[in-house]
Amino acid sequence: MTQVVANAGAMTGGTLVGYFSQTLGRRFSIIVICIVGGALLYPYTYTSSKAVIAAAFFEQFCVQGAWGVIPIHLMELSPGSLRTFVVGTSYQLGNLASSASSTIEATIGERFPLPALHRGKTTVKRYEYGKVICIFLGCVYAYVIILTLIGPEKLGRNLDVAHDSDMAEVTHQDLRHHHHGGDDQAIAHEKSIA
């Protein structure tokens, strides 16, 4: 049940934060939703009752809200010839970095032991993984906030190939004289940020 609720939170967060980032800005949306997600870490990681369902919904709302906006933000920042490379490589490098997460969490978890459970002749070691997840997610949120804060914003950048200065160079076109549906302002904007 908790996983279903968390998935619903992720889908809702990605959709709503992505939609509102169109008007509020990508950087602002990412930073605010990371701060909210950080504030929700305590109830998410330290609740042991069924109340964890609400915390899981809102935490996953924040996680997917932030990480759902990051790819389009990266596309707006990247030059046309490197857009898919930047986003795809960032995604795969993120997967590479996060592949060690379970090992890191298990190692940190050993620093926070709980009383062992005794079941007959067997003893089960336990660790306070709630605290580990709280520390780990807190560091990730802080990292994303810092990187987003120091970076630029290019909200509304026209990503059409017709407005791509790299493609215009390859095809020997002059974007200043290229009229595509009367979109002169978008062309001028693209030239100014190129």
Side-chain angles (χ1 to χ4, degrees):
M1 178 65 176
T2 304
Q3 187 60 45
V4 172
V5 172
N7 288 342
M11 289 187 294
T12 307
T15 303
L16 291 178
V17 177
Y19 176 77
F20 286 112
S21 75
Q22 289 286 102
T23 54
L24 299 174
R26 311 288 186 211
R27 290 174 65 222
F28 179 79
S29 299
I30 293 167
I31 291 168
V32 167
I33 208 68
C34 281
I35 291 169
V36 172
L40 291 171
L41 282 176
Y42 182 80
Y44 177 62
T45 55
Y46 285 94
T47 303
S48 57
S49 67
K50 289 191 184 267
V52 76
I53 292 175
F57 176 88
F58 289 110
E59 191 63 51
Q60 290 304 313
F61 179 98
C62 293
V63 167
Q64 193 57 41
W67 274 257
V69 174
I70 289 172
I72 190 64
H73 181 53
L74 288 175
M75 286 185 78
E76 289 173 337
L77 295 178
S78 304
S81 58
L82 296 174
R83 272 187 201 125
T84 54
F85 175 79
V86 168
V87 175
T89 303
S90 299
Y91 179 79
Q92 295 305 333
L93 289 174
N95 284 338
L96 178 65
S98 68
S99 65
S101 294
S102 58
T103 305
I104 294 167
E105 289 175 13
T107 303
I108 295 171
E110 291 174 1
R111 297 181 183 187
F112 304 106
L114 291 171
L117 285 179
H118 301 287
R119 294 187 180 150
K121 294 182 181 182
T122 59
T123 302
V124 179
K125 290 183 179 179
R126 299 183 316 144
Y127 303 98
E128 196 173 351
Y129 285 110
K131 187 180 284 186
V132 174
I133 291 170
C134 188
I135 293 167
F136 203 75
L137 270 173
C139 291
V140 171
Y141 277 136
Y143 175 74
V144 171
I145 289 169
I146 291 167
L147 283 181
T148 306
L149 194 60
I150 63 175
E153 172 83 71
K154 292 192 179 176
L155 179 67
R157 184 174 186 187
N158 197 328
L159 302 178
D160 279 353
V161 71
H163 300 99
D164 187 347
S165 58
D166 292 329
M167 183 58 81
E169 186 176 330
V170 169
T171 58
H172 306 292
Q173 293 179 0
D174 187 353
L175 286 179
R176 292 174 297 178
H177 303 296
H178 180 75
H179 296 285
H180 181 70
D183 201 7
D184 294 328
Q185 188 177 16
I187 293 169
H189 177 68
E190 179 68 23
K191 286 299 258 186
S192 71
I193 59 176

